[in-house]
Amino acid sequence: MLLLPTRLLFAFAGMGAAISFSGCATMDSSDAGPLAPVRGVVIDAGHGGNPPEASREECWGAIASSGFKEKNGTLAVARKLRSLLSQQGYGVVLTRDSDRFVSLEERAAVASRPEHRDWVFVSIHFNRSHRKQRATKLSAAYRQPRGFEIYVMPRRGGRSTVGARASSGYATVNDSRPSNLALARCIAERLDAIPGTTNRGIKEAWFVVLRSCPIPAVLIEAGFLSNPEEGARIATEAYQEKLARAIADGIRDYAARASVYAADSTSTRGRS
Ligand SMILES: [Zn+2]
């Protein structure tokens, strides 16, 4: 969950504004815009470490009723994702590969390295709702929000742009709007295919890790730890593996579309 101080996490935002969803397969070139080829993936496991390096919220993230911490789930999925993507020949770098605190600026700085110019950035989180649990445990599973959502940068000139820039002090370097959206759609389509998941849509927010990334970037809230049933699933290795596979497949779908585009534009240039 991203309930960090606004100073750190998002410099304010049009958070929660869902944007229209259409799948990776149905995306046409006007949806996707010019996509750059993908040579590697910066995988960002949300949170990490322990107080007093930062607040409990920043370090641990959301916590399931079992005590399972978001920071451990994000790292588990990140490592599985690394292994899947490496097998497929992608370059892969993790912003953290251990239980340690990494600032948002450091995370974005990894994505900003010149050698990652043709890469994409995927940040992994789990969610939490503050809705009070009432009644029985059985009904709580149904009352509590569940499902995944994927965040991208708001469109330029969007409602929150001015306020965000004025209040944050963070420069916005991400200028990959069509690519962000295409990547989010491809991953959402694969996550949506996991039995039992709920697709809460693609949303927009000025998260620091998104806005400070010079490459296509998405932030995945892969499920609600606060939902008893979903929280229990997220803590299992089998489900972490499913999530990692879906994300890897989504990245591959995106990369395939990007390379088709690159081939098209090359041949177009060749003809003219
Ligand atoms: Zn989080």
Side-chain angles (χ1 to χ4, degrees), residues 128-147:
R128 168 172 63 193
S129 160
H130 291 285
R131 193 177 296 175
K132 288 256 186 338
Q133 288 189 31
R134 287 195 300 259
T136 64
K137 274 193 176 173
L138 186 67
S139 66
Y142 298 96
R143 287 163 182 273
Q144 288 285 315
R146 54 181 295 143

Side-chain angles (χ1 to χ4, degrees), residues 157-179:
R159 207 156 43 118
S160 57
T161 303
V162 174
R165 283 185 179 156
S167 65
S168 71
Y170 286 103
T172 298
V173 300
N174 187 301
D175 194 19
S176 312
R177 166 84 187 173
S179 302

Side-chain angles (χ1 to χ4, degrees), residues 2-11 55 57-58 104 170 208:
L2 290 154
L3 292 176
L4 305 192
T6 50
R7 176 181 65 80
L8 282 174
L9 208 82
F10 31 41
S55 72
E57 177 76 43
E58 286 169 276
L104 299 168
Y170 286 103
V208 169

Side-chain angles (χ1 to χ4, degrees), residues 1-2 47 70 125-126 221:
M1 181 55 175
L2 290 154
H47 307 275
E70 181 183 350
H125 285 258
F126 292 101
E221 291 278 4

Side-chain angles (χ1 to χ4, degrees), residues 17-41:
I19 55 184
S20 65
F21 177 82
S22 75
C24 189
T26 57
M27 206 164 59
D28 63 24
S29 56
S30 61
D31 269 338
L35 306 180
V38 182
R39 302 195 203 290
V41 183

